[in-house]
Amino acid sequence: VLKLLEERPLSKITVKDIVDECGINRNTFYYHFEDISSLIEAIIIDEVDRVMTQYRDISSMEECIEMAMRLGFDHRNAIYHIYNSSNRDFLERRLMEICRHAASRFVEKTAGGQIIRPEDRDIIIQSYKCELFGHIIDWLDGGMKYDLKSRFMRLCELRRGMTEEMFARSRGE
């Protein structure tokens, strides 16, 4: 199905297209999925799980954007077509899940053994999660026309050391 989504919008894909592409019959499709939307949700869940498993150790904001954008990098047109479909809300929720995972892993790795107030840790994670998500949504809303990765890398250069500064302030330094 991702192959079909790379080629055309979700609204232009039928169950017949899917079963022909997969070499199965309609009954088999409907045995496993209620409709195309439920298939798309299953694919998104599988892809999100794959990405989150692949990125267990994140030590920089650059790696955060790499992880958060993995779906977009691997399946650019498919993600764009899903984003512009009735499955948008589901995709956004899963993107938020990826962003939270990336931000949490980054903060935990960067903090190391440092003592940070739990409420400060939560605020920092939430801030990074929302920042990642916001950049991705803005990129999708803009038709994916600019190089999100290079823009985010530049942002990382501009704010280098800020996370450590937040940790120091949490400790009262």
Side-chain angles (χ1 to χ4, degrees):
V1 175
L2 286 173
K3 180 182 174 204
L4 293 171
L5 279 167
E6 288 291 338
E7 298 168 0
R8 58 187 184 253
L10 185 56
S11 62
K12 304 282 186 202
I13 297 172
T14 65
V15 171
K16 181 178 178 354
D17 295 330
I18 294 168
V19 298
D20 288 349
E21 179 69 28
C22 297
I24 60 173
N25 65 43
R26 291 178 71 84
N27 289 339
T28 301
F29 175 86
Y30 284 112
Y31 177 78
H32 294 284
F33 303 102
E34 184 177 318
D35 54 19
I36 293 176
S37 285
S38 63
L39 169 62
I40 296 302
E41 289 178 9
I43 290 169
I44 292 170
I45 289 169
D46 287 347
E47 288 297 307
V48 166
D49 288 348
R50 179 186 62 82
V51 168
M52 288 174 45
T53 300
Q54 182 181 353
Y55 290 88
R56 292 188 184 273
D57 190 34
I58 297 174
S59 57
S60 70
M61 280 304 289
E62 292 87 349
E63 289 176 9
C64 280
I65 193 64
E66 177 70 30
M67 183 211 169
M69 284 307 306
R70 186 78 268 149
L71 289 177
F73 297 150
D74 290 349
H75 308 290
R76 183 181 177 93
N77 289 337
I79 294 299
Y80 186 69
H81 289 144
I82 293 169
Y83 183 73
N84 289 302
S85 76
S86 60
N87 289 84
R88 178 186 205 153
D89 287 344
F90 189 81
L91 176 63
E92 286 179 350
R93 284 193 307 276
R94 294 306 178 185
L95 282 173
M96 184 65 82
E97 186 180 327
I98 287 175
C99 292
R100 176 156 183 66
H101 176 83
S104 296
R105 295 294 181 154
F106 167 65
V107 169
E108 294 304 321
K109 177 73 173 188
T110 304
Q114 298 178 61
I115 304 297
I116 301 167
R117 292 179 23 202
E119 58 272 14
D120 290 343
R121 183 183 309 267
D122 292 344
I123 290 168
I124 294 167
I125 290 169
Q126 181 183 22
S127 175
Y128 284 140
K129 172 193 75 170
C130 292
E131 183 177 16
L132 285 167
F133 183 77
H135 282 286
I136 294 167
I137 294 302
D138 188 63
W139 179 64
L140 287 164
D141 279 342
M144 304 168 91
K145 293 186 178 164
Y146 59 87
D147 184 354
L148 174 62
K149 187 174 180 179
S150 68
R151 279 191 184 188
F152 200 83
M153 294 304 159
R154 178 62 182 145
L155 177 62
C156 289
E157 289 174 26
L158 293 171
R159 65 188 305 184
R160 193 163 316 283
M162 291 181 76
T163 305
E164 292 79 5
E165 179 67 27
M166 287 188 279
F167 292 165
R169 288 182 182 168
S170 177
R171 292 188 307 272
E173 297 173 9

